[in-house]
């Protein structure tokens, strides 16, 4: 893929910051860096430029929790009229100890997907993704299951019990942390990442030929601000223990490099979720084969629920 223009969400710290710098060193002639506050994003662009000695960073204000902000960012990109080759949807949030909802009524850890969906659909509708564009969105190992202290919801069972088997309604309930959804921060996070994996599979079926999308877990990288909102058990017990186990933690740069690795994947694996091998949080990434990830009914339900909540769909 030609290294021309990349856009990265959530670049003011952590993995997004690291990824933006790596993209510049890979040869991208422009890296659009985004964040909630324009002044902070401008400072971030200047700082990465100084560190990399590459004058390729363009700041763009983008608050994924605000549909108005997403539309404003899209308007700026439309005015520019330059197609994006690599769209890195990195922004995310570990849930708060107590349930938090956005102004639109979305659970905080689910909200980045809604903003990313609005951004991606907007770019596709405006023909602002290049014909061979690659899209990568941040996933995480809890989506596959088997991670201590994290448990995703059994969607078919949940839908059958509370939504007359309607999986779309069930996913919407998870997105909103609505009735019959008990708020457990780590489980909310696992659900958010599982819905992302399903959304990616559904998006892949809707992309024009030549484009591809992947969910990619960056793996463990505790030296970031991503766990700032995590509960004390995760922040002060689980993460410190894991951090001292050889091979179970890595630098932000190493974690971010997984995104860039996936940006070179082919269309034959579009729609798949890539993460560490079973029982690992670092090392090589591999396509995850767990049956629940490949349940087409759940994938389409996730897509339709995100469409309903976000208010935008592809034609």
């Amino acid at each position: 893929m030609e290294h021309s223009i990349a856009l990265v969400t959530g670049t003011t710290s952590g993995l997004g910051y690291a990824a933006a710098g790596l993209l510049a060193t890979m040869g991208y002639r422009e890296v659009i860096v985004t964040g909630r506050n324009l002044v902070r994003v401008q400072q971030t662009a200047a700082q990465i430029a100084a560190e990399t000695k590459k004058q390729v960073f363009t700041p763009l204000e983008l608050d994924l929790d605000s549909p108005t902000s997403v539309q404003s960012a899209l308007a700026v990109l439309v005015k520019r009229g330059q197609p994006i080759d690599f769209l890195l949807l990195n922004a995310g949030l570990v849930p708060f100890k107590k349930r938090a909802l956005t102004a639109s009524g979305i659970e905080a850890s689910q909200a980045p997907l809604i903003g990313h969906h609005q951004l991606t659909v907007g770019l596709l509708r405006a023909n602002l993704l290049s014909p061979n564009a690659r899209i990568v969105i941040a996933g995480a190992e809890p989506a596959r299951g088997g991670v201590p202290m994290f448990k995703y919801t059994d969607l078919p069972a949940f839908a059958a019990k509370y939504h007359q088997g309607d999986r779309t309604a069930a996913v919407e309930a998870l997105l909103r942390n609505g009735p019959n959804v008990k708020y457990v921060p780590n489980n909310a996070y696992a659900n958010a990442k599982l819905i992302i994996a399903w959304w990616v599979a559904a998006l892949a079926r809707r992309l024009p030929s030549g484009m591809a999308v992947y969910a990619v877990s960056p793996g463990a990288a505790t030296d970031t601000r991503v766990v700032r909102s995590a509960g004390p058990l995760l922040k002060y017990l689980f993460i410190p223990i894991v951090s001292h186990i050889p091979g179970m933690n890595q630098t932000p740069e190493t974690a971010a490099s997984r995104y860039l690795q996936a940006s070179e994947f082919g269309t034959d694996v579009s729609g798949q979720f890539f993460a560490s091998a079973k029982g690992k949080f670092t090392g090589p990434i591999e396509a995850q084969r767990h049956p629940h990830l490949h349940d087409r009914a759940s994938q389409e339900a996730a897509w339709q629920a995100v469409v309903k909540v976000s208010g935008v769909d592809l034609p």
Side-chain angles (χ1 to χ4, degrees), residues 58-72:
T58 300
L60 176 67
E61 184 174 11
L62 173 62
D63 182 352
L64 292 166
D65 289 351
S66 167
T68 301
S69 177
V70 175
Q71 290 304 313
S72 296

Side-chain angles (χ1 to χ4, degrees), residues 20 61 74 162 213 226 252 265:
E61 184 174 11
L74 284 167
Y162 296 111
V213 59
V226 71
F265 288 170

Side-chain angles (χ1 to χ4, degrees), residues 199-275:
W199 176 83
V200 162
L203 174 59
R205 290 191 283 270
R206 291 163 168 81
L207 287 178
S209 176
M211 296 186 192
V213 59
Y214 324 96
V216 177
S217 170
T222 58
D223 190 20
T224 70
R225 296 180 64 246
V226 71
V227 297
R228 64 191 181 278
S229 55
L233 192 62
L234 181 63
K235 187 185 297 184
Y236 301 117
L237 179 63
F238 181 71
I239 289 176
I241 290 174
V242 169
S243 298
H244 288 89
I245 299 175
M248 295 296 278
N249 196 17
Q250 59 194 343
T251 67
E253 290 74 20
T254 300
S257 68
R258 289 180 167 202
Y259 296 148
L260 277 61
Q261 178 187 352
S263 74
E264 305 288 350
F265 288 170
T267 56
D268 57 319
V269 291
S270 182
Q272 297 198 38
F273 168 42
F274 291 85

